[in-house]
Amino acid sequence: MRSVKPPLLRVDASADARRWVAEHRDELRAAVVEHGALLVRGLGLRDVEEVGVVFGQLGRPMIEREAFATRQRYADGLYSSSKWPPSQPMCMHHELSYALESPSLMLFACLTAPTEEGATPLADETVIGRALPADLVDRFERLGWLLVRNYNDEIGASIAEAFGSGERQAVESYCRAQAIRFEWQPDGALRTWQRRSAVVRHPRTGQRCWFNQIAFLNEWTIDPEVREYLVDVYGEDGLPFNTRFGNGDPIGPDIVQTINEVYTAHTVRDAWQSGDLMLVDNIRTAHARERFEGPREVLVGMADALNVADCSPTIEVAGD
């Protein structure tokens, strides 16, 4: 396994974190380009207001659309962590890799560190793409990946939370503009399909990056008991999310296991300390969340929106 720690910068700026970040913005951004991520320790970030200012100094805030889990929104581009059970880890993923517009920069700030685990592990996708079986990567590069979602008011993000509106006309307009095929169910639920590239080129460095949420949003990553319950209640086609090959072929548990094992072998992590700041290149670097115990408050920022068309996609954008 590679080094277990991400790049770390220790500073002494607890007296005025805002000023320190403003003075060192260019160096911080350059370090993210070089390393793919950077953990800054010693800022002593204390509250939502201060974090909002710091995030705004580092990048242009981006509003989240098509969320897969609920969050609290504090301001444009400033959110709580996803409401995800503490006992269940979140697998490696890129924020909004299924959307046409994704944040190029992710920002994380730890206000309260958990008592056990709860880190935000990272993985370099330039490495992951080379470590995965070549034939599997080639297949996804040719076909892309398909995300199938079922929105309702019972599980996951609601229609209004995901699209910014619960009005059918607004949702349909959004879907058409974003190459998402949609279908309204008799009970008012919404089912969508969107086909995206699994491999892209980094717009600044030209590096080939494995960029998707194929394993994370697949049915075989869901806890087996939870999956069984969801299938019993909603049916095989009614899961809140699932992924397939871009041509509609199913992705079996063996493929999901292979992807997750490669991620595990190439993960770096460092336990959160209260006051920490982390910057992550969302195209080059995947992130996850460990299960945890105790209170954990990590704020999330999405910044510097990037269109997938600027990342040399390997397939034509389509709803299915």
Side-chain angles (χ1 to χ4, degrees), residues 64-86:
E64 181 183 36
R65 289 286 185 265
E66 302 178 51
F68 65 84
T70 59
R71 302 180 188 270
Q72 181 175 348
R73 176 179 168 184
Y74 298 105
D76 288 354
L78 178 61
Y79 302 89
S80 70
S81 298
S82 298
K83 307 297 183 185
W84 200 262

Side-chain angles (χ1 to χ4, degrees), residues 161 218 247:
E161 288 170 331
N218 187 272
N247 64 350

Side-chain angles (χ1 to χ4, degrees), residues 86-106:
S87 61
Q88 297 181 19
M90 296 175 68
C91 299
M92 284 291 178
H93 63 284
H94 299 264
E95 215 65 39
L96 302 180
S97 65
Y98 47 79
L100 294 191
E101 195 171 71
S102 307
S104 60
L105 177 67
M106 292 296 297

Side-chain angles (χ1 to χ4, degrees), residues 15-29:
D16 194 343
R18 306 180 198 198
R19 176 181 297 176
W20 189 92
V21 169
E23 291 175 351
H24 295 86
R25 176 190 183 278
D26 291 345
E27 294 95 325
L28 293 171
R29 294 294 303 254

